[in-house]
Amino acid sequence: MPIKNRFAEMQGEVTAWRRHLHENPELMYEVHQTAAFVQEQLKSFGVTDVTPGIGKTGVVAVIEGKTNTSGRVIGLRADMDALPIHEASGVDYASKTPGVMHACGHDGHTAILLGAAKYLAETRNFDGKAVLIFQPAEEGGAGGKAMCDDGMMERWGIQEVYGLHNMPGLPVGEFAIRPGPLMASSDEFEIIVTGKGGHAAAPHDSIDTTLVASQIVVSLHSIVSRNVDPIKRVVLTVGTFETDSTASNVIAHQARLQGTVRTLDPEYRTQAETWVRRVVENTAEAFGASAEVNWSSSYPVTINSETETGYAVEAAEAVGISVDADTPPIMPSEDFSYMLEERPGAYIFLGNGDTAMCHHPAYVFDDEAIPLGCSWFAELVERRMPAK
Ligand code: NI
């Protein structure tokens, strides 16, 4: 049997929860109905220790095993928020909220963790405590950090923490993971370049901000190709370029660029900021313009600890899931990284089959993956805290 039998029986029920969440997506920290649904379900499973309002709208619940002599506490995490995308998946349970969609499968993650919770509350076949973490605002709002900042790890004594994310392109029934860096850090920058606006026919009376900003974009691309060790992974993208000129015969006075730096190497995060500032400020100066850089640090590198990655692989294999235990890292970022900065743990990819990529309006979560995700969470708890 490739999964825990109980989850095969529960698949219809968990799918119904997932589709309910899918029809009612909520953004960022505004996951009020979702968090209420989670609490309601947990209480119906007989889980009494449920705390809302952690990290604004996150929910933390505790399920104790039949015994609690091991002193072990394992955290399991799911994200609850949706994306500002207008759904075009064609499913009959599509979002009822125009412009908001569960396009990253967090509805699936939440339903899976609820499924695991129902099983764990029924069986309690372990010696210790499972702490279930339902977090808001994964999509750019650092909800995971907000929960950590509320003292979650200390308050519930969490010792290890595990999470999963569905992965389009990976067949259903397969998982993928690796020890060490799995997903990149993400830092954002804004650059304001100020030259001297003027008449397009009199460039000598101006400082052409468009030209200066263009040079800055080109020079920024020398950072990855010339400053970064070629065997390390860093990507820099300038995503927006706008000036205050709206006419073909006007030289812009000011330009604004926005971009992002992603890396799998934490030491390059601070280094990249220094390099970007140096290139921007000195390039602007070379043309007699000025520039300022506003840097905002976002999610850290998602780093799986070695030992816990081993536990994650063992648990998956124990329930018959085939695991690629050395999958290549990817450059999107993930705010489970904050939890992994505080505690050892592991993040694993759950095969979602052949669908549009996450964050695409045609993305569809595959409900066949539900019993696999539930089995993995439950098996982790039972293996890490064996029943007496
Ligand atoms: Ni996601």
Side-chain angles (χ1 to χ4, degrees):
M1 192 64 203
I3 51 166
K4 287 180 181 289
N5 288 335
R6 181 72 183 102
F7 291 118
E9 292 164 24
M10 283 170 57
Q11 186 176 351
E13 185 181 14
V14 181
T15 298
W17 301 337
R18 206 279 290 176
R19 294 183 178 193
H20 166 80
L21 295 170
H22 192 86
E23 284 182 345
N24 300 284
E26 296 173 296
L27 294 172
M28 296 291 270
Y29 286 98
E30 302 304 312
V31 289
H32 302 289
Q33 286 180 49
T34 307
F37 179 81
V38 163
Q39 291 173 71
E40 209 176 284
Q41 292 302 326
L42 289 168
K43 284 176 186 162
S44 78
F45 311 153
V47 180
T48 50
D49 188 345
V50 180
T51 309
I54 304 301
K56 296 185 187 157
T57 41
V59 179
V60 178
V62 181
I63 302 176
E64 270 196 43
K66 274 182 191 143
T67 50
N68 184 17
T69 62
S70 71
R72 237 176 225 169
V73 185
I74 306 285
L76 308 175
R77 170 273 202 180
D79 38 16
M80 299 190 285
D81 57 320
L83 283 157
I85 290 176
H86 192 78
E87 181 155 4
S89 67
V91 298
D92 57 10
Y93 54 86
S95 169
K96 291 179 186 163
T97 311
V100 183
M101 175 190 178
H102 268 296
C104 200
H106 297 184
D107 50 342
H109 308 159
T110 298
I112 284 171
L113 189 54
L114 282 173
K118 180 166 181 172
Y119 167 91
L120 292 170
E122 272 173 13
T123 54
R124 301 192 187 250
N125 196 28
F126 58 98
D127 177 39
K129 274 187 198 175
V131 176
L132 314 177
I133 303 163
F134 295 88
Q135 77 149 81
E138 193 287 317
E139 299 290 358
K145 180 175 191 297
M147 293 187 88
C148 290
D149 289 349
D150 272 358
M152 175 178 72
M153 295 297 178
E154 300 75 23
R155 181 168 166 188
W156 279 278
I158 297 165
Q159 298 160 350
E160 298 166 22
V161 67
Y162 298 88
L164 57 73
H165 202 292
N166 74 94
M167 183 55 69
L170 184 67
V172 174
E174 292 182 21
F175 280 21
I177 193 170
R178 72 187 304 276
L182 178 71
M183 297 179 72
S185 61
S186 168
D187 295 315
E188 318 292 323
F189 58 82
E190 178 196 54
I191 298 166
I192 306 289
V193 186
T194 307
K196 186 180 169 204
H199 197 293
H204 58 291
D205 289 331
S206 307
I207 297 170
D208 185 349
T209 311
T210 303
L211 179 64
V212 179
S214 301
Q215 291 289 347
I216 286 173
V217 173
V218 172
S219 301
L220 283 173
H221 282 290
S222 72
I223 291 175
V224 173
S225 71
R226 302 291 90 178
N227 295 132
V228 172
D229 179 338
I231 61 167
K232 304 285 186 174
R233 295 181 209 226
V234 180
V235 59
L236 181 153
T237 292
V238 177
T240 73
F241 186 127
E242 58 200 30
T243 75
D244 60 1
S245 168
T246 53
S248 60
N249 59 358
V250 173
I251 288 174
H253 184 72
Q254 205 161 63
R256 178 171 178 259
L257 311 173
Q258 288 176 285
T260 182
V261 176
R262 311 281 175 113
T263 177
L264 292 167
D265 210 306
E267 74 186 65
Y268 275 122
R269 288 189 81 188
T270 38
Q271 191 58 52
E273 180 181 352
T274 307
W275 285 328
V276 166
R277 287 186 186 280
R278 191 177 67 195
V279 164
V280 169
E281 285 159 14
N282 290 305
T283 305
E285 201 191 336
F287 288 85
S290 64
E292 66 174 268
V293 178
N294 300 312
W295 192 270
S296 74
S297 294
S298 185
Y299 298 170
V301 184
T302 302
I303 301 176
N304 281 337
S305 51
E306 193 120 0
T307 308
E308 285 67 25
T309 302
Y311 298 146
V313 172
E314 278 169 29
E317 287 177 344
V319 292
I321 296 164
S322 91
V323 187
D324 174 358
D326 191 24
T327 194
I330 57 171
M331 298 311 275
S333 59
E334 163 60 55
D335 92 340
F336 187 60
S337 53
Y338 290 108
M339 297 191 194
L340 288 176
E341 281 191 335
E342 297 214 348
R343 292 295 183 269
Y347 198 55
I348 202 163
F349 297 134
L350 160 88
N352 194 55
D354 189 17
T355 169
M357 199 18 113
C358 295
H359 295 213
H360 189 280
Y363 165 83
V364 177
F365 183 87
D366 192 329
D367 291 314
E368 294 304 313
I370 285 173
L372 303 157
C374 293
S375 296
W376 178 71
F377 272 137
E379 182 67 20
L380 262 175
V381 169
E382 292 177 350
R383 287 181 83 81
R384 292 294 297 128
M385 303 184 285
K388 286 263 164 185

